[in-house]
Amino acid sequence: RHPPHHVMASVVVRLYDLTQGMATALAPTVIGQEVEGIWHSGVVVFGTEFFFGAGIQRVGSSEFQHLFGMAAARELPLGTTEVPPEVFDDWVKDQKERFSVATYDLVNRNCNHFADEAVHFLTGNRLPSYVTSQANELISLLLRSPLAGMVRPMLEGLTAGGPMGRLVPSAQVQGLPMGEGEVGEGGARQATEGGVAPAAPEDAR
């Protein structure tokens, strides 16, 4: 008997500007160069959008904009996959300790790193480097900017709870000048408990 044939599924990465245009307006003044957006990425495959923030989460492929109030600024077709949905589900479950609230890092382990690994597992392709390296490059520029202090409160505002806290559970960056207050463990906890219930972390599934 022939092995079962798996239907090819398209793999698309959606990019969302977390700042909703604010980065485009402020970047030339703060870091001296233009920025199209501060990217959050989600992997759309099998009718579902997978993303990492307050743990690995998933929503229906048409639900993200309604839940988080952001439309995709870009859609990147990154190939097709023959990986069966159940195999990808197993892979996602295996990643939950690596990609958790506790391991989230704005520069080194963020949503774009998860999306890059998921796409690579599904297709062998990678996200463009302008997505995966963006946080590191922008933070490097910020640390050299005399206006860096004005940015920290905006970063911290992303973690203040509710829907956005599910996407960016921690925005603390070592060496970045202080804002008006720190977002500590309570901020991360509020982000996990409050906001958008349908975007459930993977360990709840």
Side-chain angles (χ1 to χ4, degrees), residues 11 83 91 114-127:
V11 179
V83 174
W91 180 85
F114 169 77
D116 179 57
E117 292 197 23
V119 167
H120 186 66
F121 178 81
L122 289 164
T123 69
N125 296 323
R126 293 288 192 184
L127 263 67

Side-chain angles (χ1 to χ4, degrees), residues 19-88:
T19 70
Q20 296 290 276
M22 189 180 302
T24 302
L26 295 180
T29 299
V30 177
I31 62 174
Q33 68 180 46
E34 294 184 354
V35 173
E36 184 179 350
I38 305 297
W39 301 129
H40 165 80
S41 56
V43 179
V44 182
V45 65
F46 310 127
T48 301
E49 185 162 349
F50 298 83
F51 58 95
F52 170 53
I56 301 174
Q57 300 169 71
R58 65 173 81 190
V59 296
S61 61
S62 61
E63 294 178 355
F64 189 95
Q65 181 174 354
H66 171 71
L67 294 173
F68 293 96
M70 288 189 292
R74 290 191 186 184
E75 290 198 354
L76 309 178
L78 288 173
T80 57
T81 184
E82 289 186 329
V83 174
E86 61 271 18
V87 173
F88 184 60

Side-chain angles (χ1 to χ4, degrees), residues 79-163:
T80 57
T81 184
E82 289 186 329
V83 174
E86 61 271 18
V87 173
F88 184 60
D89 279 344
D90 288 341
W91 180 85
V92 169
K93 291 173 185 176
D94 288 342
Q95 307 309 307
K96 69 179 183 179
E97 291 186 5
R98 293 182 58 231
F99 292 97
S100 67
V101 174
T103 65
Y104 183 93
D105 183 273
L106 185 65
V107 175
N108 299 307
R109 194 186 297 269
N110 61 36
C111 57
N112 301 319
H113 299 111
F114 169 77
D116 179 57
E117 292 197 23
V119 167
H120 186 66
F121 178 81
L122 289 164
T123 69
N125 296 323
R126 293 288 192 184
L127 263 67
S129 60
Y130 72 80
V131 178
T132 53
S133 65
Q134 183 191 55
N136 185 59
E137 293 172 358
L138 290 181
I139 293 301
S140 296
L141 290 169
L142 271 176
L143 292 175
R144 298 196 296 268
S145 171
L147 300 177
M150 67 180 286
V151 175
R152 183 164 187 144
M154 289 184 283
L155 287 175
E156 292 175 343
L158 295 177
T159 69

